[in-house]
Amino acid sequence: VLTVDDAMNPNFPVIHKNLIGKDLGEEVLSTNVAEHFRHEAGDLIKGYNQATTIVEGSFEMPMVHQGYIEPHNATAIWKSDGKIEVWTSTQGAFGARNALAPILDVPDTDIKVTPLEIGGGFGGKLDVSVQPILAVAAWLMKQPVCTVYSRAESMISSTKRHPAKIKVRASTDSKGYLQSFELNGDFDTGAYASWGPTVASRVPVHCTGPYSVPRIHCRTRAIYTNNPPSGAFRGFGTPQAALAQELLYDELAEKLDIDRLEFRLLNAFRPGDITP
């Protein structure tokens, strides 16, 4: 299952069969949907009926690596009292501790994680990477163990920005004021959920950008595939949505014969406006 289209095809395998039947509200996970969200505000049909200009587009974004300067690293010590200490380049010390506890089968109170200088993360150091391996090695060897991943190892082992397929549609009245906005986005979360549910939930909140739009309909899905896991990366899916939305607004400005900046200033939030 290498694409979101494959994942939603009933002829392709369900990757996490143990999750079948999980209640997702509108949908039940009989396919590869990890999580889905929908947000609606206003009468979309009315917005299109009042519109004089309507544009739509489809966009695909690839997987992207965070490009942090310092690769993943950690040092682990299993102490004589049975407790473990880990020093590591991480954006989430408590998340690392919570992940290590079930792997090591010890209470999280027996684990101390000290975050070091990150050396750049941008979301790529929120998930655990080398820490569990080091913790097990320290336990087996009964001595301190440390490692620094090579650049290639960091890239292979870490999560990336979600590849996305996004369809958008927007409309304005004759003066250029936005009337409606629609977005349907599928985000490839890879073989494991990681921060995929956060991506799917964040996009509907931010999908229209810093602009006042009275009517919106945004639907997003984080979808399992057999690709490397996708995770956090500076904005949790909103950069992908913003790319699609801003390109569409450029097209609206062109059709209305309005300067692109003027179009944005015309529709920008004012004090008292209501966000999606």
Side-chain angles (χ1 to χ4, degrees), residues 19-239:
L19 297 178
I20 291 177
K22 178 186 175 186
D23 184 10
L24 293 174
E26 182 184 278
E27 296 180 1
V28 174
L29 183 56
S30 58
T31 60
N32 287 305
V33 177
E35 201 75 78
H36 83 110
F37 288 86
R38 186 177 70 184
H39 180 58
E40 298 180 22
D43 186 340
L44 205 63
I45 301 300
K46 182 179 179 181
Y48 286 126
N49 289 339
Q50 293 179 350
T52 59
T53 306
I54 301 173
V55 297
E56 56 187 280
S58 298
F59 304 90
E60 291 192 37
M61 294 82 169
M63 178 179 284
V64 183
H65 180 57
Q66 291 87 345
Y68 34 75
I69 296 170
E70 182 178 299
H72 294 82
N73 61 82
T75 300
I77 298 177
W78 200 290
K79 303 174 71 177
S80 58
D81 60 4
K83 297 186 177 181
I84 187 167
E85 293 189 21
V86 178
W87 292 265
T88 183
S89 173
T90 179
Q91 292 176 260
F94 288 99
R97 186 184 71 167
N98 294 342
L100 285 170
I103 293 171
L104 301 172
D105 194 24
V106 300
D108 57 14
T109 51
D110 286 354
I111 303 170
K112 180 181 179 181
V113 176
T114 301
L116 307 177
E117 291 82 357
I118 295 175
F122 318 112
K125 293 178 181 175
L126 271 174
D127 291 87
V128 291
S129 55
V130 68
Q131 298 93 336
I133 302 168
L134 265 289
V136 171
W139 175 72
L140 289 172
M141 300 176 73
K142 301 297 186 280
Q143 65 181 28
V145 179
C146 69
T147 194
V148 178
Y149 273 172
S150 68
R151 175 63 59 190
E153 288 167 337
S154 256
M155 293 183 72
I156 290 168
S157 66
S158 62
T159 60
K160 310 293 185 287
R161 189 186 294 286
H162 282 72
K165 291 186 71 173
I166 296 176
K167 293 182 179 180
V168 281
R169 193 181 191 210
S171 68
T172 69
D173 62 17
S174 59
K175 295 181 179 179
Y177 287 99
L178 286 162
Q179 295 299 305
S180 59
F181 182 85
E182 282 183 275
L183 182 145
N184 280 282
D186 285 338
F187 294 83
D188 181 349
T189 202
Y192 304 100
S194 181
W195 292 84
T198 308
V199 166
S201 64
R202 209 56 79 81
V203 170
V205 178
H206 299 284
C207 66
T208 53
Y211 309 103
S212 182
V213 187
R215 305 167 188 88
I216 71 163
H217 184 168
C218 181
R219 184 177 184 275
T220 54
R221 299 184 295 190
I223 297 175
Y224 288 120
T225 66
N226 288 122
N227 293 323
S230 302
F233 187 166
R234 298 299 289 181
F236 294 92
T238 58

